[in-house]
């Protein structure tokens, strides 16, 4: 056990945990943010994707000791029902989720993609999203929703939360 | 009043809402209580509508939502007749108690089973509310109508909200034959509407089973036998117990319907500690002869032997042997489909709390609280009244979460540690332990006469049976879940000599239903072989089907497919199209797959699916489910199945058990045929035609006939 300070969604959390604990379990079971999901535990499915300093990262294989000092953003940190991130809004407009379990990870990956490439091509979308499994099979809608989100951005091209 | 209070208390609604994240019930009045509705008693389910004085309308939804949209479909049926909007209906999940009837999401049955009873319940409630308001105003009922949760007196324009008349209405007799709306007057049913649960699912707020926490709980991880039915000889937990947070390592059990296996569990303060300890525990297993007996090769070898013999006859129209014997062209083939894991993205998990007073409470993502109640009562040997079930949202299920081994495991552990235990399976548990979609074989025979007519057809499914392994039905007769669906009455091929047989081949590999169940196995053999017969008869595969089918709905589906998929068009060299049609769960679905040669294999270019599911609730959800079926159907056809070598699964996680990803997505198009028929299923019927249409397309493009799944798109092997 060790004292570990994590910066999650702009808030500091002082935790006394095993430094080797993957970030996923610290986020879910210690900090109590349940939106980030467990799907495989070996960087295969993308369900656990969060942003580390803005980059999409698999939290299930990332020991907490390696993220000290980094800014972590989870699905709860990018938008809320009252103040949706444009990607979340597009996901509602296109009615993407079925069970929805994979969608936190999909949305985090899509949000990072759009920050990088505000108007992604189909090929950009495929390469950014193919690491994410959706067993319900929502891939077509994910692609559509990313294009929708790209079109809906503010004129300045900011992918900021809310409107 | 006291009755109603007891009613709400029995439901335990406030804690149900805690789990599901729906807004909680006030200690209000259950005003329209349909428990004694004679209509519902005569029907399969017994829904409850609760209208509170505040005006809140609550539906106790008897079908858990695993992504198929029941939390929209079911309230839509109510809202339509009650004349309220969808956002005015709050949903609570039923808890498995008998008064709610069948509560299992499975067999694509939610809308089919609830179509009439929920609408009747809504219509009855509406009539009672009108009557109560008319009595209060001393006006004739005929002068009143309802709109947006209000009763309005037409001549005077005065109105009362449903909440204001709810208590009076509850004292009235429930009408026996409430008048249902005509389909042409539907405002909600059949129309697009966004699903109201989507915002929670995109903001991380939806509470799935895996997200539930209860006070005082500990975490558990299972260490299952790699050979599933191995026995625990010894456990060395010395290293595991050194890990901080690990409380206990114990021998436990995995209760399955056909047998109970031994297992080991680790209990810890947190999930990570339990997972770390799993790697540190050393267990010696006694595997007996499982290395030889528990293999898919041994099982399929037995199936192949059975394919050389006659099976048990399930059905015969005409004289198959004579007609086949006299046919100008005789075709025989064996088709094979693998075992498959469901692999829902949310792994199996459950919290169980067996309390000191002998009662039990569980929280879990399960498809059927009614079945779970039966299984829990049987396993714990207590009465159903002593069990409380809280159903959480399911992060996918596909049949897997109607099998309660994980729930009973959590019960065993809670009994031992006397605390609430939260058990979470790893993905490795999910993929290596089953239960699986059964691997099956089918022996096919068919004959074409000298004039080119398909005159004889024999479909002979071979393999393990869910009915026998899970439900212990006597195995001396054909499994009617397999054979019933393939019958001429269902599939509508008017072939003069038509025969269905079955041979049961048992296995100890655990099996259960998987999206579309046997239709996923035998839709492939039926439609792949029909394509062979059509070619043998020198007929276009679409025309050959139309020739034999006289059923108007089947014909319309095929004609729609031909038009939408541009069936007759001339294709560029190296491309091919294949079609298939299959009826399952009350709906007819057909699809056309286009492939293009690429290197030694093919690339899937496009899938066009057509479905006639009769009346449906939300066209967008019909499409969404069909999209899902296309993805799962292609995955099942071209990705590795589950194989067991030396008694254990060859795949452990998604790096080996691969599923389709976005880069493999073909173009997809879905069309709904508006037949206005009785509602059919939507969650599964789109799947069965996918694999055969794909295999038939491969044949059209390359001349290579695929009779065994999975096959590799790159090599066609
Ligand atoms: S849970 Fe991290 S990638 Fe699957
Ligand atoms: S929506 Fe269910 S796994 Fe993606």
């Amino acid at each position: 056990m060790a004292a570990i300070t994590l910066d999650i969604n702009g808030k500091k959390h002082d935790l006394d945990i095993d430094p080797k604990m993957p970030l996923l379990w610290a986020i879910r079971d210690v900090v109590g943010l349940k939106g980030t999901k467990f799907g495989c535990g070996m960087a295969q499915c993308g369900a656990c994707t969060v942003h580390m300093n803005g980059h999409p990262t698999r939290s299930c294989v990332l020991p907490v000791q390696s993220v000290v000092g980094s800014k972590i953003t989870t699905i709860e940190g990018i938008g809320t029902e009252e103040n949706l991130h444009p990607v979340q809004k597009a996901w509602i407009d296109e009615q993407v989720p079925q069970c929805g379990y994979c969608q936190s990870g999909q949305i985090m990956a899509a949000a990072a993609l759009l920050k990088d490439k505000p108007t992604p091509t189909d090929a950009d979308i495929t390469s950014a999203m193919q690491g994410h499994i959706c067993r319900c099979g929502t891939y077509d809608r994910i692609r559509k929703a990313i294009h929708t989100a790209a079109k809906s951005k503010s004129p300045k091209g900011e992918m900021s939360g809310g409107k | 009043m006291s009755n109603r209070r007891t009613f709400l208390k029995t439901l335990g609604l406030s804690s149900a809402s805690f789990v599901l994240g729906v807004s909680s019930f006030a200690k209000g009045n259950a005003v329209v209580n349909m428990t004694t509705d004679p209509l519902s008693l005569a029907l399969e389910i017994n829904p409850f509508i609760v209208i509170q004085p505040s005006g809140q309308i609550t539906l106790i939804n008897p079908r858990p939502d695993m992504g198929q949209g029941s939390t929209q479909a079911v309230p839509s049926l109510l809202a339509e007749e009650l004349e309220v909007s969808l956002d005015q209906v709050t949903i609570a999940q039923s808890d498995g108690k008998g008064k709610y009837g069948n509560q299992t999401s499975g067999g694509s049955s939610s809308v089919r089973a609830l179509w009439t009873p929920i609408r009747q319940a809504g219509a009855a409630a509406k009539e009672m509310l009108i009557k109560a308001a008319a009595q209060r105003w001393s006006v004739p009922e005929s002068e009143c109508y309802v709109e947006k949760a209000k009763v309005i007196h037409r001549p005077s324009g005065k109105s009362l909200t449903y909440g204001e008349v709810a208590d009076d209405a509850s004292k009235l007799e429930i009408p026996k034959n409430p008048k249902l709306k005509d389909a042409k007057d539907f405002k909600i049913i059949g129309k697009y509407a966004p699903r109201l649960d989507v915002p929670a699912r995109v903001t991380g707020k939806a509470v799935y089973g895996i997200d539930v926490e209860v006070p005082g709980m500990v975490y558990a991880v299972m260490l299952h036998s790699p050979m599933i039915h191995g026995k625990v000889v010894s456990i060395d937990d010395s290293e595991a117990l050194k890990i901080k947070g690990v409380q206990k390592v114990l021998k436990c059990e995995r209760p399955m319907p056909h047998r109970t296996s031994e297992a080991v569990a680790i209990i810890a303060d947190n999930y990570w500690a339990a997972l770390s300890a799993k790697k540190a525990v050393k267990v010696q297993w006694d595997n007996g002869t499982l290395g030889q007996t528990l293999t898919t090769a041994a099982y399929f070898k037995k199936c192949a032997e059975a394919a050389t013999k006659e099976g048990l006859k399930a059905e015969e129209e005409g004289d198959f042997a004579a007609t086949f014997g006299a046919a100008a062209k005789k075709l025989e083939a064996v088709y094979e489909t693998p075992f498959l894991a469901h692999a829902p993205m949310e792994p199996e998990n459950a919290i169980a709390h067996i309390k000191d007073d002998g009662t039990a409470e569980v929280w879990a993502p399960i498809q059927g609280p009614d079945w779970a109640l039966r299984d829990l009562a049987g396993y714990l040997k207590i009465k159903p009244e002593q069990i409380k079930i809280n159903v959480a949202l399911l992060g996918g299920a596909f049949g897997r979460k109607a099998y309660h081994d994980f729930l009973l495991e959590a019960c065993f552990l809670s009994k031992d540690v006397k605390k609430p235990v939260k058990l979470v399976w790893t993905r490795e548990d999910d993929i290596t332990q089953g239960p699986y979609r059964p691997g099956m074989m089918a022996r096919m025979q068919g004959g074409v006469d000298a004039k080119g007519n398909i005159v004889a057809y024999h479909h002979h499914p071979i393999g393990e049976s869910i009915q026998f392994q899970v439900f212990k039905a006597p195995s001396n007769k054909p499994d009617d879940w397999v054979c019933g669906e393939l019958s001429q009455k269902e599939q509508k091929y008017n072939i003069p000599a038509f025969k269905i047989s079955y041979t049961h081949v048992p296995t100890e590999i655990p099996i259960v239903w998987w999206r579309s169940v046997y239709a996923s196995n035998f839709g492939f053999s039926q439609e792949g072989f029909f394509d062979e017969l059509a070619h043998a008869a020198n007929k276009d595969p679409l025309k050959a089907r139309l020739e034999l089918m006289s059923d108007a709905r089947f014909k319309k589906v095929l004609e729609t497919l031909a038009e939408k998929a541009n069936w007759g068009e001339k294709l560029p060299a190296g491309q091919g199209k294949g079609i298939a049609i299959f009826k399952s769960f009350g709906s007819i679905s057909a699809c056309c797959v286009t492939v293009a040669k690429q290197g030694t294999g093919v690339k899937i270019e496009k899938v066009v699916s057509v479905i006639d599911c009769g009346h449906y609730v939300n066209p967008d959800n019909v499409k969404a489910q069909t999209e899902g079926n296309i993805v799962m159907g292609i995955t099942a056809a071209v990705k590795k199945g589950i194989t067991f070598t030396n008694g254990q699964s060859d795949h452990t996680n998604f790096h080996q058990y691969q599923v389709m990803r976005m880069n493999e997505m073909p173009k997809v198009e879905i069309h709904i045929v508006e037949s206005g028929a009785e509602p059919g299923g939507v969650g599964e019927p789109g799947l069965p035609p996918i694999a055969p249409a794909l295999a038939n397309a491969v044949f059209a493009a390359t001349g290579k006939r695929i009779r065994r799944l999975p096959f590799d798109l790159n090599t066609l092997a």
Side-chain angles (χ1 to χ4, degrees), chain B residues 652-712:
Chain B
T652 62
N653 203 321
F654 287 126
H655 63 304
Q656 295 160 328
Y657 190 70
Q658 302 221 350
V659 296
M660 202 175 147
R661 294 169 182 266
M662 187 186 266
N663 52 318
E664 296 157 301
M665 222 20 226
K667 280 199 213 76
V668 160
E669 230 181 80
I670 292 148
H671 302 276
I672 303 174
V673 171
E674 309 280 346
S675 67
E678 279 297 291
V682 165
E684 300 167 276
L687 193 145
I690 303 297
L694 170 59
N696 297 343
V698 169
F699 181 78
T702 69
K704 164 119 178 134
R705 179 61 68 185
I706 307 280
R707 298 191 185 91
R708 182 166 184 241
L709 298 182
F711 71 98
D712 185 341

Side-chain angles (χ1 to χ4, degrees), chain A residues 24 37-49 58-61 131, chain B residues 345 653-654:
Chain A
L24 171 67
K37 301 301 190 204
F38 167 54
C40 68
M42 61 179 299
Q44 291 293 315
C45 76
C48 64
T49 302
R58 306 285 159 102
S59 64
C60 67
V61 288
Chain B
M345 287 316 292
N653 203 321
F654 287 126

Side-chain angles (χ1 to χ4, degrees), chain B residues 5 39 98 154 159 251 259 296 298 311 377 455 478 483 514 549 614 626 634 659 714:
Chain B
R5 286 240 169 80
L39 279 171
R154 200 182 306 269
S159 68
K251 184 179 160 188
R259 61 186 285 183
T296 40
V455 290
C483 301
W514 180 99
M549 287 175 164
T626 307
I634 295 177
V659 296
N714 296 318

Side-chain angles (χ1 to χ4, degrees), chain A residues 97-103 134-136 138, chain B residues 345:
Chain A
Q98 289 184 29
C99 82
Y101 191 82
C102 71
Q103 301 296 348
C134 174
R135 190 66 167 142
C136 295
T138 62
Chain B
M345 287 316 292

Side-chain angles (χ1 to χ4, degrees), chain B residues 216 353-356 412-421:
Chain B
H353 189 194
I354 313 301
K355 300 176 190 172
D356 292 341
F412 182 99
L413 299 175
S414 174
K415 232 177 164 169
D416 183 277
V417 302
K418 303 197 184 333
K419 284 179 198 151
V421 172

Side-chain angles (χ1 to χ4, degrees), chain B residues 44-47 61-63 74 77 100 102 109-120:
Chain B
E44 190 196 1
I45 76 110
N46 196 342
N61 173 34
R63 301 291 164 137
V74 184
L77 302 176
Y100 301 114
N102 182 340
S109 66
S110 299
V111 170
R112 290 198 287 159
L114 301 175
W115 175 251
T116 303
I118 294 276
R119 283 161 62 235
Q120 279 178 331

Side-chain angles (χ1 to χ4, degrees), chain B residues 10 62 65 124 167 202 307 325 331 373 429 587 633 715:
Chain B
T10 332
D65 199 314
D167 194 37
V202 301
L331 267 67
L373 187 64
D429 290 318
S587 295
T715 61

